[in-house]
Amino acid sequence: MPTNKQRREAAQRRLQRQLERREELAQKRRRNTLIGVTVLAVVAVVAALFLITGLGDDEEPDTAAAPETTTAAPVVDGSDGTCDFVPDTSGSDTLTDVGVPPAEVPTTGTTGLTLATSAGDIGLTLDQENAPCAAASMVYLAQQGFFEGSPCHRLTSGGLSVLQCGDPSGTGTGGPTYDFPTQVTGEETYPRGTLAMANAGQGTDASQFFLVYADSQLQPDYTVVGTVDEAGLATLDAIAAAGIEGGATDGAPAQPVTIESATVQQ
């Protein structure tokens, strides 16, 4: 029969394993900005990126129930002209502190953003009316020089045909030190020419984004922040044509792509 000491030691070992697993899952959520591509028999190909370690990784659901006496605070999603830019709590060591965008954001019209990349220019139109927080964040990060010198670290093909950028660390786990609400209606689609935010779960939008170069089947979990212009699509086509490292369907572009500058059109 085990002694009290042995029982305590066994309990400590179990707790340590639980803590290690929890940390592993947290890291995985930060790495998987677009979470896996799953082909559904009758429906479509379901993909989810962040989001960030690789497609198809299994994650255990968070089973911790919120206390019944608590009420969630309302999410400020920009529809009233203000946004909740909140501290990132992932604990990732690949985050870059460039401050936080102003809470007051434009909610009408569009603004232009040009990405000058090593593969050519990509012109973007940001939708300030339907995605005010995401548009304001991209403008802010561009003005801070956040994107300069950052690689587009991920290219995918098939049911999910996107180029993913916005992580200065190039690891798929990086971003600014803040997050903001995911703004979706449940009706989102991701056709060719879509610009959308990558995330590691609802409410974890930050700096990583993806550019859709061919119609893609995704769950409506990603904020559609704008569109890519024709010249930008030509650049994306050339990047896609060069393929993915190792001939894979998901990985780093075979021809490295770096954002040299990001300029907001005044």
Side-chain angles (χ1 to χ4, degrees), residues 162-240:
V162 306
L163 177 69
Q164 188 173 336
C165 314
D167 171 10
S169 76
T171 63
T173 66
T177 53
Y178 66 84
D179 293 329
F180 57 90
T182 304
Q183 191 160 25
V184 292
T185 64
E187 301 297 324
E188 283 75 16
T189 58
Y190 304 90
R192 172 177 165 84
T194 299
L195 162 66
M197 300 305 299
N199 65 45
Q202 300 299 287
T204 61
D205 291 27
S207 64
Q208 293 194 40
F209 58 89
F210 58 96
L211 308 164
V212 183
Y213 64 86
D215 293 355
S216 296
Q217 299 296 326
L218 280 163
Q219 290 181 315
D221 293 336
Y222 308 99
T223 303
V224 175
V225 63
T227 56
V228 184
D229 67 10
E230 288 301 319
L233 285 172
T235 298
L236 289 175
D237 289 341
I239 293 169

Side-chain angles (χ1 to χ4, degrees), residues 115-127:
L115 303 179
T117 81
S118 55
D121 287 355
I122 300 175
L124 307 175
T125 299
L126 307 181
D127 186 348

Side-chain angles (χ1 to χ4, degrees), residues 44-137:
V45 181
V46 177
L49 288 171
F50 123 343
L51 309 177
I52 306 178
T53 324
L55 300 178
D57 287 340
D58 293 325
E59 295 187 15
E60 294 180 2
D62 184 358
T63 57
E68 295 181 359
T69 55
T70 62
T71 302
V75 173
V76 183
D77 62 5
S79 57
D80 65 349
T82 59
C83 290
D84 271 340
F85 294 107
V86 300
D88 181 291
T89 59
S90 67
S92 173
D93 60 1
T94 55
L95 303 182
T96 302
D97 188 356
V98 289
V100 178
E104 301 296 319
V105 299
T107 58
T108 60
T110 62
T111 193
L113 178 64
T114 299
L115 303 179
T117 81
S118 55
D121 287 355
I122 300 175
L124 307 175
T125 299
L126 307 181
D127 186 348
Q128 297 178 145
E129 180 176 354
N130 295 304
C133 298
S137 176

